[in-house]
Amino acid sequence: MYGSFRLLLQVLSAQLLCVWVLGSELTFELPDNAKQCFYEDIIIGTKCTLEFQVVTGGHYDVDCRLEDPEGTTLYKEMKKQYDSFTFTAAKNGTFKFCFSNEFSTFTHKTVYFDFQVGDDPPLFPNENRVTALTQMESACVSIHEALKSVIDYQTHFRLREAQGRSRAEDLNTRVAFWSIGEAMILLVVSISQVVLLRSFFSDRKTTTTRVGS
Amino acid sequence: MVSVRMRSCVLSVLLLNVFYSAVSSLYFHIGETEKKCFIEEIPDETMIIGNYRTQLYDKQREEYMPATQGLGMFVEVKDPDDKVILSRQYGSEGRFTFTSHTPGEHQICLHSNSSKFALFAGGMLRVHLDIQVGEHANNYAEIAAKDKLTELQLRVRQLVEQVDQIQKEQNYQRYREERFRLTSESTNQRVLWWSIVQTLILVAIGIWQMRHLKSFFEAKKLV
């Protein structure tokens, strides 16, 4: 009885230990004065990383807050453009992280976040971790890890480029808009100056004649 | 010795855990008429698989239970040119797949199609969402079974897929950089031409003003 109970416990703990949760990477739009929260159930002892970056909008900053299942704030930053936070789950339960754009009145922001929980799933679900890998297999594993970091760098680069491009397109439309606006204002102001000046002299002429006679 | 009952218990626990971990655990809350959109900037010929699972708050049990069959989610995917490439309604649990044909920002929007307002009863719908892009969308167990690959071959296949994805992304980056360069050059041109035009307008207006006022004052015999 005790033996079978122990077996059940071992199986359960083994299953819990190798429950891998796939990392989630999402880009979403955060409207002005809005707050968006995401939740994830994490098992104690799992190493997790939260990384976020503001891609477009306003001053490219957002408030971020990460809380553990009991409500304790693990990470809180205001008006941050980009950050990465690694932590190990100290409790079992639902962790919550929120992005807030409540300080902004009319700009909506696009926020990218990458929440990695635990390790990546192994390629073979029934992989026997006891046997060592051959040289070829370990070479494949190291190439796989290197390529993963290349893809990671590519993502960061893509986000920075998107940010730069959005600023450049913004600048382009603003230059066009304000140039046309200024030319119009210039014309309107100079013509009205002349008209106003003419009207001053016209009035004085009539008054002088009246006084004269 | 492990009894049959204990073995079946262990098996059911294992199955439960596998099921639990198979569907993504990242979730968020969505209101009844709310539409949540996610953006994926991807190169062309990239496959995206999205899995979602919904749960509704059960007031009696005071916890979130899987949503009823009547409640579905409407999924709409738009390509970078704002053309709709996927617009379908799925049940309370669903999986959608699409492949991009133009590189750029694709928008994936979800909203619930609840026709019965009483269903939500002022609460929120909990949506578990998982979006896999490119190489992550591949099911290697399936590929191994279909092509009958050994372990080493499967690993090499995974590396090939990864390198493929990197190559597509680099290609897309070249296209993006070209766009960026065109925008910058356009801004440069605009700044140059509008500065010249404004200076000319200024000078022309100045000359016109002086001439006009001079003739006006001469006519009024003030000069």
Side-chain angles (χ1 to χ4, degrees), chain A residues 6-25:
Chain A
R6 233 184 69 185
L7 174 67
L8 175 63
L9 216 65
Q10 277 176 343
V11 164
L12 259 176
S13 53
Q15 188 63 30
L16 284 173
L17 278 173
C18 63
V19 160
W20 47 83
V21 183
L22 303 170
S24 320
E25 185 183 74

PDB file of all heavy atoms in Angstrom, chain A residues 6-25:
ATOM      1  N   ARG A   6       3.790   5.539  -2.789  1.00  0.00           N
ATOM      2  CA  ARG A   6       5.070   6.214  -3.102  1.00  0.00           C
ATOM      3  C   ARG A   6       5.257   6.302  -4.596  1.00  0.00           C
ATOM      4  O   ARG A   6       5.724   7.298  -5.132  1.00  0.00           O
ATOM      5  CB  ARG A   6       6.217   5.409  -2.468  1.00  0.00           C
ATOM      6  CG  ARG A   6       7.119   6.257  -1.584  1.00  0.00           C
ATOM      7  CD  ARG A   6       8.285   5.480  -1.060  1.00  0.00           C
ATOM      8  NE  ARG A   6       9.229   5.139  -2.109  1.00  0.00           N
ATOM      9  CZ  ARG A   6      10.303   4.367  -1.904  1.00  0.00           C
ATOM     10  NH1 ARG A   6      10.508   3.835  -0.726  1.00  0.00           N
ATOM     11  NH2 ARG A   6      11.118   4.092  -2.890  1.00  0.00           N
ATOM     12  N   LEU A   7       4.880   5.199  -5.271  1.00  0.00           N
ATOM     13  CA  LEU A   7       5.003   5.173  -6.730  1.00  0.00           C
ATOM     14  C   LEU A   7       4.143   6.271  -7.346  1.00  0.00           C
ATOM     15  O   LEU A   7       4.578   7.008  -8.225  1.00  0.00           O
ATOM     16  CB  LEU A   7       4.584   3.792  -7.273  1.00  0.00           C
ATOM     17  CG  LEU A   7       4.540   3.677  -8.803  1.00  0.00           C
ATOM     18  CD1 LEU A   7       5.940   3.779  -9.383  1.00  0.00           C
ATOM     19  CD2 LEU A   7       3.901   2.366  -9.227  1.00  0.00           C
ATOM     20  N   LEU A   8       2.889   6.381  -6.836  1.00  0.00           N
ATOM     21  CA  LEU A   8       1.988   7.412  -7.348  1.00  0.00           C
ATOM     22  C   LEU A   8       2.586   8.797  -7.147  1.00  0.00           C
ATOM     23  O   LEU A   8       2.574   9.638  -8.040  1.00  0.00           O
ATOM     24  CB  LEU A   8       0.628   7.310  -6.637  1.00  0.00           C
ATOM     25  CG  LEU A   8      -0.402   8.406  -6.973  1.00  0.00           C
ATOM     26  CD1 LEU A   8      -0.777   8.341  -8.429  1.00  0.00           C
ATOM     27  CD2 LEU A   8      -1.630   8.266  -6.107  1.00  0.00           C
ATOM     28  N   LEU A   9       3.154   9.004  -5.949  1.00  0.00           N
ATOM     29  CA  LEU A   9       3.760  10.303  -5.636  1.00  0.00           C
ATOM     30  C   LEU A   9       4.921  10.612  -6.567  1.00  0.00           C
ATOM     31  O   LEU A   9       5.085  11.727  -7.065  1.00  0.00           O
ATOM     32  CB  LEU A   9       4.248  10.288  -4.185  1.00  0.00           C
ATOM     33  CG  LEU A   9       4.112  11.616  -3.425  1.00  0.00           C
ATOM     34  CD1 LEU A   9       2.658  11.970  -3.276  1.00  0.00           C
ATOM     35  CD2 LEU A   9       4.775  11.514  -2.077  1.00  0.00           C
ATOM     36  N   GLN A  10       5.753   9.562  -6.803  1.00  0.00           N
ATOM     37  CA  GLN A  10       6.910   9.750  -7.695  1.00  0.00           C
ATOM     38  C   GLN A  10       6.460  10.099  -9.110  1.00  0.00           C
ATOM     39  O   GLN A  10       6.989  11.002  -9.741  1.00  0.00           O
ATOM     40  CB  GLN A  10       7.761   8.471  -7.736  1.00  0.00           C
ATOM     41  CG  GLN A  10       8.722   8.353  -6.581  1.00  0.00           C
ATOM     42  CD  GLN A  10       9.467   7.034  -6.611  1.00  0.00           C
ATOM     43  OE1 GLN A  10       9.060   6.093  -7.287  1.00  0.00           O
ATOM     44  NE2 GLN A  10      10.549   6.946  -5.886  1.00  0.00           N
ATOM     45  N   VAL A  11       5.424   9.338  -9.559  1.00  0.00           N
ATOM     46  CA  VAL A  11       4.929   9.576 -10.915  1.00  0.00           C
ATOM     47  C   VAL A  11       4.377  10.985 -11.034  1.00  0.00           C
ATOM     48  O   VAL A  11       4.645  11.720 -11.981  1.00  0.00           O
ATOM     49  CB  VAL A  11       3.855   8.521 -11.289  1.00  0.00           C
ATOM     50  CG1 VAL A  11       3.074   8.965 -12.501  1.00  0.00           C
ATOM     51  CG2 VAL A  11       4.509   7.185 -11.551  1.00  0.00           C
ATOM     52  N   LEU A  12       3.602  11.374  -9.998  1.00  0.00           N
ATOM     53  CA  LEU A  12       3.006  12.710 -10.002  1.00  0.00           C
ATOM     54  C   LEU A  12       4.071  13.792 -10.052  1.00  0.00           C
ATOM     55  O   LEU A  12       4.007  14.720 -10.845  1.00  0.00           O
ATOM     56  CB  LEU A  12       2.151  12.908  -8.745  1.00  0.00           C
ATOM     57  CG  LEU A  12       0.648  12.754  -8.909  1.00  0.00           C
ATOM     58  CD1 LEU A  12      -0.034  12.883  -7.571  1.00  0.00           C
ATOM     59  CD2 LEU A  12       0.092  13.774  -9.872  1.00  0.00           C
ATOM     60  N   SER A  13       5.106  13.630  -9.177  1.00  0.00           N
ATOM     61  CA  SER A  13       6.146  14.661  -9.134  1.00  0.00           C
ATOM     62  C   SER A  13       6.933  14.696 -10.431  1.00  0.00           C
ATOM     63  O   SER A  13       7.287  15.761 -10.917  1.00  0.00           O
ATOM     64  CB  SER A  13       7.087  14.440  -7.939  1.00  0.00           C
ATOM     65  OG  SER A  13       7.577  13.123  -7.958  1.00  0.00           O
ATOM     66  N   ALA A  14       7.160  13.485 -11.012  1.00  0.00           N
ATOM     67  CA  ALA A  14       7.879  13.442 -12.293  1.00  0.00           C
ATOM     68  C   ALA A  14       7.076  14.163 -13.361  1.00  0.00           C
ATOM     69  O   ALA A  14       7.606  14.933 -14.156  1.00  0.00           O
ATOM     70  CB  ALA A  14       8.131  11.991 -12.703  1.00  0.00           C
ATOM     71  N   GLN A  15       5.759  13.897 -13.350  1.00  0.00           N
ATOM     72  CA  GLN A  15       4.886  14.534 -14.338  1.00  0.00           C
ATOM     73  C   GLN A  15       4.865  16.042 -14.147  1.00  0.00           C
ATOM     74  O   GLN A  15       4.953  16.795 -15.089  1.00  0.00           O
ATOM     75  CB  GLN A  15       3.469  13.956 -14.197  1.00  0.00           C
ATOM     76  CG  GLN A  15       2.521  14.388 -15.284  1.00  0.00           C
ATOM     77  CD  GLN A  15       2.945  13.911 -16.661  1.00  0.00           C
ATOM     78  OE1 GLN A  15       3.564  12.877 -16.797  1.00  0.00           O
ATOM     79  NE2 GLN A  15       2.648  14.687 -17.660  1.00  0.00           N
ATOM     80  N   LEU A  16       4.779  16.457 -12.874  1.00  0.00           N
ATOM     81  CA  LEU A  16       4.744  17.886 -12.606  1.00  0.00           C
ATOM     82  C   LEU A  16       6.044  18.548 -13.031  1.00  0.00           C
ATOM     83  O   LEU A  16       6.056  19.627 -13.591  1.00  0.00           O
ATOM     84  CB  LEU A  16       4.495  18.143 -11.114  1.00  0.00           C
ATOM     85  CG  LEU A  16       3.059  17.935 -10.637  1.00  0.00           C
ATOM     86  CD1 LEU A  16       2.990  18.044  -9.128  1.00  0.00           C
ATOM     87  CD2 LEU A  16       2.126  18.949 -11.257  1.00  0.00           C
ATOM     88  N   LEU A  17       7.170  17.853 -12.749  1.00  0.00           N
ATOM     89  CA  LEU A  17       8.455  18.448 -13.087  1.00  0.00           C
ATOM     90  C   LEU A  17       8.609  18.612 -14.587  1.00  0.00           C
ATOM     91  O   LEU A  17       9.201  19.557 -15.059  1.00  0.00           O
ATOM     92  CB  LEU A  17       9.610  17.577 -12.547  1.00  0.00           C
ATOM     93  CG  LEU A  17       9.945  17.800 -11.089  1.00  0.00           C
ATOM     94  CD1 LEU A  17      10.968  16.794 -10.633  1.00  0.00           C
ATOM     95  CD2 LEU A  17      10.488  19.202 -10.869  1.00  0.00           C
ATOM     96  N   CYS A  18       8.099  17.608 -15.340  1.00  0.00           N
ATOM     97  CA  CYS A  18       8.296  17.739 -16.775  1.00  0.00           C
ATOM     98  C   CYS A  18       7.085  18.327 -17.478  1.00  0.00           C
ATOM     99  O   CYS A  18       6.942  18.198 -18.663  1.00  0.00           O
ATOM    100  CB  CYS A  18       8.723  16.423 -17.402  1.00  0.00           C
ATOM    101  SG  CYS A  18       7.513  15.129 -17.262  1.00  0.00           S
ATOM    102  N   VAL A  19       6.180  18.961 -16.736  1.00  0.00           N
ATOM    103  CA  VAL A  19       5.120  19.712 -17.417  1.00  0.00           C
ATOM    104  C   VAL A  19       5.751  20.971 -17.957  1.00  0.00           C
ATOM    105  O   VAL A  19       6.157  21.842 -17.231  1.00  0.00           O
ATOM    106  CB  VAL A  19       3.965  20.060 -16.440  1.00  0.00           C
ATOM    107  CG1 VAL A  19       3.143  21.203 -16.984  1.00  0.00           C
ATOM    108  CG2 VAL A  19       3.101  18.868 -16.203  1.00  0.00           C
ATOM    109  N   TRP A  20       5.904  21.009 -19.235  1.00  0.00           N
ATOM    110  CA  TRP A  20       6.498  22.181 -19.832  1.00  0.00           C
ATOM    111  C   TRP A  20       5.388  23.043 -20.380  1.00  0.00           C
ATOM    112  O   TRP A  20       4.451  22.563 -20.978  1.00  0.00           O
ATOM    113  CB  TRP A  20       7.433  21.737 -20.961  1.00  0.00           C
ATOM    114  CG  TRP A  20       6.818  20.729 -21.870  1.00  0.00           C
ATOM    115  CD1 TRP A  20       5.990  20.964 -22.918  1.00  0.00           C
ATOM    116  CD2 TRP A  20       6.960  19.312 -21.781  1.00  0.00           C
ATOM    117  NE1 TRP A  20       5.612  19.784 -23.498  1.00  0.00           N
ATOM    118  CE2 TRP A  20       6.181  18.760 -22.845  1.00  0.00           C
ATOM    119  CE3 TRP A  20       7.659  18.450 -20.935  1.00  0.00           C
ATOM    120  CZ2 TRP A  20       6.105  17.388 -23.056  1.00  0.00           C
ATOM    121  CZ3 TRP A  20       7.581  17.085 -21.163  1.00  0.00           C
ATOM    122  CH2 TRP A  20       6.813  16.576 -22.216  1.00  0.00           C
ATOM    123  N   VAL A  21       5.473  24.313 -20.124  1.00  0.00           N
ATOM    124  CA  VAL A  21       4.479  25.239 -20.668  1.00  0.00           C
ATOM    125  C   VAL A  21       5.164  26.020 -21.771  1.00  0.00           C
ATOM    126  O   VAL A  21       6.211  26.575 -21.560  1.00  0.00           O
ATOM    127  CB  VAL A  21       3.961  26.192 -19.582  1.00  0.00           C
ATOM    128  CG1 VAL A  21       2.896  27.097 -20.133  1.00  0.00           C
ATOM    129  CG2 VAL A  21       3.452  25.404 -18.404  1.00  0.00           C
ATOM    130  N   LEU A  22       4.580  26.022 -22.936  1.00  0.00           N
ATOM    131  CA  LEU A  22       5.200  26.704 -24.059  1.00  0.00           C
ATOM    132  C   LEU A  22       5.275  28.193 -23.797  1.00  0.00           C
ATOM    133  O   LEU A  22       4.362  28.777 -23.244  1.00  0.00           O
ATOM    134  CB  LEU A  22       4.385  26.441 -25.322  1.00  0.00           C
ATOM    135  CG  LEU A  22       4.194  24.966 -25.681  1.00  0.00           C
ATOM    136  CD1 LEU A  22       3.187  24.834 -26.791  1.00  0.00           C
ATOM    137  CD2 LEU A  22       5.507  24.358 -26.092  1.00  0.00           C
ATOM    138  N   GLY A  23       6.359  28.825 -24.191  1.00  0.00           N
ATOM    139  CA  GLY A  23       6.500  30.263 -24.024  1.00  0.00           C
ATOM    140  C   GLY A  23       5.502  30.994 -24.901  1.00  0.00           C
ATOM    141  O   GLY A  23       5.232  30.574 -26.010  1.00  0.00           O
ATOM    142  N   SER A  24       4.924  32.084 -24.381  1.00  0.00           N
ATOM    143  CA  SER A  24       3.949  32.837 -25.161  1.00  0.00           C
ATOM    144  C   SER A  24       4.520  34.171 -25.560  1.00  0.00           C
ATOM    145  O   SER A  24       5.072  34.893 -24.729  1.00  0.00           O
ATOM    146  CB  SER A  24       2.686  33.062 -24.344  1.00  0.00           C
ATOM    147  OG  SER A  24       2.371  31.919 -23.604  1.00  0.00           O
ATOM    148  N   GLU A  25       4.346  34.476 -26.833  1.00  0.00           N
ATOM    149  CA  GLU A  25       4.882  35.720 -27.383  1.00  0.00           C
ATOM    150  C   GLU A  25       3.735  36.382 -28.119  1.00  0.00           C
ATOM    151  O   GLU A  25       3.195  35.787 -29.048  1.00  0.00           O
ATOM    152  CB  GLU A  25       5.982  35.309 -28.356  1.00  0.00           C
ATOM    153  CG  GLU A  25       6.764  36.396 -28.956  1.00  0.00           C
ATOM    154  CD  GLU A  25       7.766  35.817 -29.953  1.00  0.00           C
ATOM    155  OE1 GLU A  25       7.340  35.413 -31.043  1.00  0.00           O
ATOM    156  OE2 GLU A  25       8.948  35.755 -29.609  1.00  0.00           O
TER     157      GLU A  25
END
